[in-house]
Amino acid sequence: MFGKAGYLFKNKKRSLGQVYNYSYQTHKGTFGQRVHEGEQNTFYYNAIFQEDINTKNSLKLGASLQVDDFEESLFSNTLNFDLYARHTQEWIPGVFAEYVLDPSEKMTIVAGLRADYNSLFENVFVTPRLNIKYDVAKNTTLRLAGGRGQRTPIVINETQSVLASSRVYNFNNYGELQPEVAWNMGASISQNVVLGEKLLKLNADAFYTWFESKLIADLDADPTQAVLLNT
């Protein structure tokens, strides 16, 4: 289920929009004597207020709510019990702001900041971001980007390749479920080459991501196991 609605103020420089979405999905997979099952309900609502301050400045303010109910299990037919089972419910209310500056016809700067409270981890996550676009020449565009992100890993679902092998999961060093938090930065350059009546587009990009915390399935510690770690 998906829907959106918007309202444009009389001065046409301000607008208010809202988006909502609900999804439901189930999963069941059999890997030899191991059965992986999952069920997920997700609701998302987002409200955005936008104001075009002038021709070079615009501002967006908003609030969002995400509710995620997820259940996952890994059952062993051989042992006749669950090797892993988890039921989580997250309520994530958040607020955000985005500022767009066009200092010249060649440059656009987008700066964003949001804060979300996660009920599962009982913590507030602040995630800034910055994007810059600069037209170096008529047919050459340079882009720079950077920011911080956070997500909740789904342990078995994201390491399903282990189930296609004879390895067994080792949860001894895993502990409690932890969020994944990462910073990333990147750059790209685009070049348009005119070939008669046709246009050739050339792109080159690079990015780098470093994690504050991450779920890892270590396959090197033991050839018969997948050792799950929070790093």
Side-chain angles (χ1 to χ4, degrees):
M1 182 177 68
F2 172 81
K4 61 181 179 178
Y7 175 76
L8 184 64
F9 290 82
K10 290 183 179 180
N11 61 9
K12 296 185 179 181
K13 292 184 178 181
R14 296 177 180 175
S15 62
L16 181 65
Q18 55 182 339
V19 178
Y20 59 87
N21 179 60
Y22 169 77
S23 63
Y24 171 78
Q25 58 180 333
T26 60
H27 162 79
K28 182 175 182 179
T30 301
F31 302 84
Q33 295 299 315
R34 294 178 289 186
V35 181
H36 176 234
E37 293 187 86
E39 182 178 10
Q40 184 175 24
N41 288 273
T42 300
F43 172 78
Y44 177 74
Y45 175 81
N46 193 26
I48 306 173
F49 170 79
Q50 178 173 331
E51 180 174 7
D52 295 326
I53 302 171
N54 52 46
T55 57
K56 294 186 176 182
N57 298 268
S58 65
L59 178 67
K60 290 181 182 178
L61 300 172
S64 64
L65 172 66
Q66 180 167 330
V67 182
D68 198 1
D69 186 281
F70 184 82
E71 189 169 1
E72 181 183 39
S73 67
L74 181 63
F75 182 81
S76 171
N77 289 327
T78 303
L79 302 175
N80 197 33
F81 67 80
D82 284 327
L83 302 173
Y84 176 88
R86 181 180 291 275
H87 181 201
T88 60
Q89 187 176 85
E90 291 179 277
W91 290 73
I92 311 175
V95 293
F96 61 90
E98 180 183 276
Y99 175 68
V100 180
L101 172 64
D102 295 309
S104 68
E105 292 184 357
K106 292 185 176 183
M107 178 178 283
T108 299
I109 302 172
V110 181
L113 179 68
R114 70 173 297 130
D116 298 279
Y117 173 77
N118 190 301
S119 64
L120 179 62
F121 303 113
E122 298 182 340
N123 197 7
V124 175
F125 295 92
V126 179
T127 50
R129 68 182 182 91
L130 179 66
N131 297 78
I132 301 174
K133 182 176 79 73
Y134 181 69
D135 294 329
V136 180
K138 181 179 179 181
N139 292 308
T140 307
T141 301
L142 175 67
R143 291 179 173 86
L144 302 173
R148 184 175 189 256
Q150 177 270 330
R151 64 184 291 273
T152 302
I154 303 174
V155 178
I156 304 299
N157 189 60
E158 296 178 15
T159 58
Q160 280 194 51
S161 59
V162 172
L163 298 176
S165 69
S166 60
R167 292 177 183 264
V168 296
Y169 281 100
N170 184 333
F171 297 95
N172 293 337
N173 299 316
Y174 180 64
E176 293 295 323
L177 181 69
Q178 297 294 327
E180 290 189 337
V181 182
W183 289 86
N184 67 82
M185 60 184 298
S188 69
I189 186 167
S190 302
Q191 177 68 47
N192 293 333
V193 181
V194 180
L195 301 174
E197 297 182 354
K198 299 185 180 296
L199 183 66
L200 174 65
K201 294 185 177 182
L202 302 175
N203 296 283
D205 57 72
F207 67 91
Y208 182 75
T209 302
W210 62 99
F211 288 87
E212 294 181 18
S213 59
K214 178 177 173 56
L215 166 67
I216 292 178
D218 187 350
L219 304 181
D220 297 321
D222 189 316
T224 66
Q225 298 181 353
V227 181
L228 295 184
L229 302 169
N230 281 318
T231 62

